[in-house]
């Protein structure tokens, strides 16, 4: 039951952010950058009865992932500003 709820909530959030980004790109980006997925994951881990240590380790993993995310987004932004194709920009961002 939890799996279906998680999938639906995730789909609704992604659809909502995408629609916002179509109308207001900057605000869509700000909302996309919010730690919504991390917060939902923490809540679902707790609801499923995971120990605090597991939730704590998950949170630390999210922190470790932030520098890579920042680098990827910065590279993609710079590439797109320099008129590179979207998929080329994403590829360069992932390689960095």
């Amino acid at each position: 039951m939890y799996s279906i709820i998680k999938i639906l909530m995730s789909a609704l959030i992604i659809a909502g952010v995408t629609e916002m980004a179509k109308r207001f790109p900057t605000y869509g980006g700000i909302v996309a950058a919010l730690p919504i997925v991390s917060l939902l994951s923490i809540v679902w881990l707790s609801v499923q009865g995971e120990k605090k240590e597991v939730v704590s380790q998950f949170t630390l993993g999210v922190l470790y992932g932030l520098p890579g995310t920042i680098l990827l987004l910065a590279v993609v932004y710079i590439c797109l500003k320099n008129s590179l194709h979207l998929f080329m920009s994403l590829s360069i961002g992932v390689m960095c």
Side-chain angles (χ1 to χ4, degrees):
M1 179 66 174
Y2 288 127
S3 296
I4 294 171
I5 294 171
K6 287 190 282 187
I7 291 169
L8 288 174
M9 286 183 68
S10 299
L12 287 173
I13 289 170
I14 292 168
V17 171
T18 302
E19 286 302 313
M20 179 182 285
K22 287 180 188 177
R23 292 180 179 88
F24 310 102
T26 301
Y27 294 131
I30 291 169
V31 172
L34 294 174
I36 297 169
V37 173
S38 298
L39 291 173
L40 282 174
S41 299
I42 290 169
V43 168
W44 288 124
L45 285 170
S46 297
V47 167
Q48 292 175 348
E50 292 295 334
K51 296 179 181 177
K52 288 181 183 179
E53 293 81 20
V54 172
V55 177
S56 176
Q57 289 175 340
F58 169 79
T59 306
L60 182 62
V62 171
L63 289 173
Y64 284 149
L66 285 177
T69 300
I70 292 168
L71 178 62
L72 173 118
L73 294 174
V75 169
V76 170
Y77 172 76
I78 291 167
C79 289
L80 290 173
K81 279 300 230 184
N82 288 302
S83 301
L84 266 79
H85 189 269
L86 174 63
F87 293 112
M88 180 61 76
S89 300
L90 292 172
S91 298
I92 294 170
V94 168
M95 284 190 286
C96 287

